[in-house]
Amino acid sequence: MEISSVSEFEKHISRVLISAKQIEEAVKAAGREISEQWDGRPILLVSILKGSFVFLADLNRAINVPCEVGFMAAKSYYDGTESVGEVKITMDLAQDVSKYHVIIVEDIVDTGRTLSDVYKLLSSRGPLSIKVITLLDKPERRLVDFKPEKALFTIPDLFVIGYGLDLGEYYRNLPYIAEYKE
Ligand code: 5GP
């Protein structure tokens, strides 16, 4: 996929589903909640690249207690917009999670396969605690039994782009979440 004009870029943005303002308010509230629950021991926000990098950057700044960030990359294999059900950890976390309250920061939970695998892997390393915060949840599409502790928005079965979420590496720069149109 290659997009070489603004009109071609824009024609795939069907409609705004969640505005920048709605995202900002929800992220600030989530940051406040994490800050209020802090028990004085280290927090590590683990971002699953690449989709969650925008959410991580905003969530991190909405937290007003000490917290660290770490990065992991996991790849779910897609055939167009459909998951083919394979997940691979392509870059592991640098930190030893046993010293931390781990908060996995995800862009979207779809079939649940990516998070279920990452959650099992990090849990096996003995963190102080572990939970998942996701910007978006698409529960209708779940194929494995996985429920994030916190989902900022629950959406129907649509393919969405923006605020870190891509289609063919494009659209991560949109400040809102939009429905993708073929
Ligand atoms: P899961 O393993 O839950 O099926 O998929 C998780 C990953 O698939 C997400 O981190 C994201 O990269 C991708 N994904 C799932 N649904 C969507 C969607 O609606 N839009 C985009 N851009 N990516 C999605």
Side-chain angles (χ1 to χ4, degrees), residues 125-141:
R125 296 177 182 169
L128 297 176
S129 70
I130 181 162
K131 62 182 171 190
V132 171
I133 179 166
T134 183
L135 178 74
L136 306 173
D137 191 6
K138 257 200 276 191
E140 281 170 40
R141 298 247 317 158

Side-chain angles (χ1 to χ4, degrees), residues 48-52 74 76 78 81 83 86-87 106-116 136 138 141-144 155-156 158-162 164-168 170 172 178 180:
I48 314 294
L49 294 170
K50 299 178 195 172
S52 71
S76 338
Y78 269 76
T81 58
S83 169
E86 251 180 83
V87 181
E106 181 60 305
D107 53 353
I108 186 164
V109 188
D110 185 29
T111 65
R113 285 187 172 119
T114 311
L115 264 189
S116 157
L136 306 173
K138 257 200 276 191
R141 298 247 317 158
R142 205 70 95 249
L143 291 177
V144 300
I155 61 166
L158 300 170
F159 194 81
V160 293
I161 48 174
L165 288 117
D166 74 314
L167 193 277
Y170 294 113
R172 296 192 196 276
Y180 175 79

Side-chain angles (χ1 to χ4, degrees), residues 45-142:
L45 299 179
V46 176
S47 161
I48 314 294
L49 294 170
K50 299 178 195 172
S52 71
F53 81 101
V54 179
F55 178 35
L56 174 88
D58 285 343
L59 181 65
N60 183 47
R61 286 176 292 178
I63 294 172
N64 57 15
V65 297
C67 80
E68 297 175 42
V69 297
F71 297 91
M72 270 181 100
K75 198 159 176 42
S76 338
Y77 291 89
Y78 269 76
D79 176 13
T81 58
E82 279 300 305
S83 169
V84 297
E86 251 180 83
V87 181
K88 207 163 122 190
I89 307 292
T90 53
M91 186 185 88
D92 205 347
L93 194 64
Q95 288 93 342
D96 169 5
V97 300
S98 66
K99 303 189 191 81
Y100 296 97
H101 286 301
V102 168
I103 302 176
I104 301 175
V105 180
E106 181 60 305
D107 53 353
I108 186 164
V109 188
D110 185 29
T111 65
R113 285 187 172 119
T114 311
L115 264 189
S116 157
D117 281 12
V118 171
Y119 187 91
K120 276 188 214 144
L121 177 70
L122 295 184
S123 298
S124 73
R125 296 177 182 169
L128 297 176
S129 70
I130 181 162
K131 62 182 171 190
V132 171
I133 179 166
T134 183
L135 178 74
L136 306 173
D137 191 6
K138 257 200 276 191
E140 281 170 40
R141 298 247 317 158
R142 205 70 95 249

